[in-house]
């Protein structure tokens, strides 16, 4: 229950930040990828600049997280699927002008084409799943989703 | 005044705020603030699969709620509209629908192959200094910028 509330709250925070920065608008992403505007790059860089040292510090002091055990950062080595998937993702991102979280915010802001984008994202994820007998790394960046329900 | 609700919050507020959310989720749950995984879990729940990571579904709902709060409840930028202003200026609506659907399918597939998207790999993965995430991020930034310039050429500079 508590874990679900944490999920909801962090979702609200994430969606709110994306909306406050207009990242759900095609024009924002398009201007960024056309290299007309650099504010999104500054946004991404400052988010990483704030989180990277804090994460490193939390890991170094062997922080025990309340819901996920000891904090462990991913240090996966690059493999072929990372380059292949990344390349396809980039092409799709440029054409659709959105990515998974901003597409959701797009719909919440009343732009109905966001529903078309969300449908495509669901289909793309599903196509990959159908291609494989056993789904590989399903989850998030470094798809390391572990089932936390037992602890919740 | 810091204007949070008009969509043009300064990057030096929005970026660090996102950084703190990333740190907060890691500190509590030891998981990245990624989005493609939330789609996967939500789809699994819709298919009534077992082993659904329920909090990711709540997180998925939360992203929608957070977007609604900022654009609609507290802000005034939400309205019923197609969206995709710059794209609908160049192409007729049916073409835009096809482009958005095809592009989104491609990025969904790519995110599944790569194991994450802009948030999972691009933000959280690079913040963890994961070599795999840095590789994914550099690759998708390069192909996205290249694709944008190809589209620009194909439309004679209109897009």
């Amino acid at each position: 229950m508590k874990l679900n509330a944490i999920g909801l709250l962090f979702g609200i925070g994430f969606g709110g930040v994306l909306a406050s920065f207009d990242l759900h608008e095609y024009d924002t992403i398009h201007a960024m990828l056309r290299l007309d505007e650099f504010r999104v790059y500054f946004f991404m860089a400052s988010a990483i600049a704030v989180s990277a040292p804090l994460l490193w510090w939390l890991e170094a002091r062997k922080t025990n997280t309340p819901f996920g055990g000891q904090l462990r950062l991913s240090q996966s080595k690059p493999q072929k699927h990372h380059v292949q998937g990344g390349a396809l993702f980039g092409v799709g991102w440029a054409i659709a002008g959105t990515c998974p979280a901003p597409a959701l915010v797009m719909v919440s802001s009343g732009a109905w084409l966001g529903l078309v984008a969300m449908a495509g994202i669901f289909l793309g994820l599903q196509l990959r799943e159908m291609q494989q007998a056993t789904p590989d790394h399903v989850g998030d960046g470094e798809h390391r989703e572990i089932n936390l329900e037992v602890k919740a | 005044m810091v204007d949070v609700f008009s969509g043009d919050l300064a990057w030096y507020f929005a970026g660090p705020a996102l950084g703190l959310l990333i740190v907060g989720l890691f500190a509590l749950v030891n998981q990245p603030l990624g989005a493609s995984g939330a789609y996967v879990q939500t789809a699994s729940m819709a298919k009534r699969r077992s082993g659904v990571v329920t909090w990711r579904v709540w997180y998925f709902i939360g992203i929608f709620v957070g977007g609604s709060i900022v654009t609609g409840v507290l802000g005034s930028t939400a309205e019923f509209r197609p969206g995709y202003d710059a794209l609908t200026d160049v192409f007729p609506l049916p073409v835009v629908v096809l482009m958005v659907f095809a592009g989104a399918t491609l990025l969904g597939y790519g995110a599944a192959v790569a194991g994450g998207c802009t948030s999972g790999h691009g933000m959280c993965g690079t913040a963890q200094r994961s070599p795999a995430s840095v590789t994914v991020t550099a690759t998708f930034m390069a192909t996205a910028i290249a694709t944008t310039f190809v589209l620009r050429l194909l439309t004679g500079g209109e897009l």
Side-chain angles (χ1 to χ4, degrees):
Chain A
M1 266 325 283
K2 271 188 197 160
L3 188 54
N4 290 342
I6 288 171
L8 183 67
L9 284 175
F10 275 83
I12 290 173
F14 187 27
V17 169
L18 295 177
S20 74
F21 205 61
D22 258 0
L23 281 164
H24 58 294
E25 293 290 350
Y26 172 84
D27 293 11
T28 306
I29 305 300
H30 187 59
M32 165 208 187
L33 294 176
R34 265 179 67 142
L35 306 177
D36 285 345
E37 273 183 22
F38 291 90
R39 61 193 279 275
V40 183
Y41 295 106
F42 295 142
F43 165 83
M44 291 172 77
S46 60
I48 293 166
V50 165
S51 52
L54 285 170
L55 288 177
W56 176 80
W57 177 73
L58 287 173
E59 190 190 39
R61 61 189 290 271
K62 301 192 193 313
T63 303
N64 238 320
T65 68
F67 295 97
Q70 189 182 324
L71 181 73
R72 296 267 286 278
L73 302 181
S74 287
Q75 293 297 318
S76 313
K77 294 278 166 290
Q79 291 174 329
K80 214 199 279 178
H81 75 89
H82 290 119
V83 177
Q84 292 166 338
L88 293 174
F89 178 85
V91 175
W93 184 32
I95 296 171
T98 194
C99 44
L104 202 44
V105 177
M106 198 192 291
V107 176
S108 75
S109 79
W112 62 263
L113 277 167
L115 287 171
V116 176
M118 281 183 68
I121 294 168
F122 273 122
L123 176 65
L125 290 165
Q126 175 68 27
L127 286 175
R128 175 63 175 174
E129 200 182 297
M130 283 158 58
Q131 205 183 27
Q132 294 178 308
T134 47
D136 53 357
H137 30 66
V138 226
D140 297 276
E142 280 329 286
H143 278 202
R144 56 183 210 152
E145 194 77 63
I146 45 172
N147 198 333
L148 298 160
E149 297 305 293
V150 186
K151 285 174 189 159
Chain B
M1 255 319 271
V2 181
D3 194 353
V4 181
F5 306 114
S6 67
D8 53 1
L9 183 64
W11 63 265
Y12 44 82
F13 291 118
L18 181 60
L20 292 177
L21 284 171
I22 291 170
V23 175
L25 194 61
F26 265 113
L28 287 170
V29 191
N30 197 8
Q31 292 291 324
L33 190 85
S36 57
Y39 274 72
V40 172
Q41 297 303 333
T42 305
S44 296
M45 179 168 273
K47 287 184 251 175
R48 298 179 185 279
R49 291 246 179 94
S50 58
V52 175
V53 183
T54 319
W55 75 271
R56 278 288 184 200
V57 179
W58 283 101
Y59 166 76
F60 184 84
I61 296 166
I63 297 174
F64 182 88
V65 173
S68 310
I69 292 172
V70 169
T71 59
V73 180
L74 301 172
S76 55
T77 54
E79 54 170 330
F80 188 69
R81 66 208 156 97
Y84 284 91
D85 299 347
L87 199 58
T88 47
D89 284 348
V90 178
F91 296 108
L93 197 56
V95 177
V96 172
V97 171
L98 277 176
M99 281 179 76
V100 172
F101 188 68
T105 306
L106 197 57
L107 81 85
Y109 182 81
V113 173
C117 56
T118 5
S119 48
H121 274 308
M123 310 300 303
C124 300
T126 48
Q128 294 177 78
R129 292 166 296 127
S130 153
S133 292
V134 173
T135 305
V136 173
T137 309
T139 309
F140 72 59
M141 283 312 313
T143 59
I145 291 170
T147 304
T148 303
F149 276 81
V150 169
L151 285 173
R152 197 173 181 178
L153 276 176
L154 290 175
T155 57
E158 276 196 78
L159 194 64

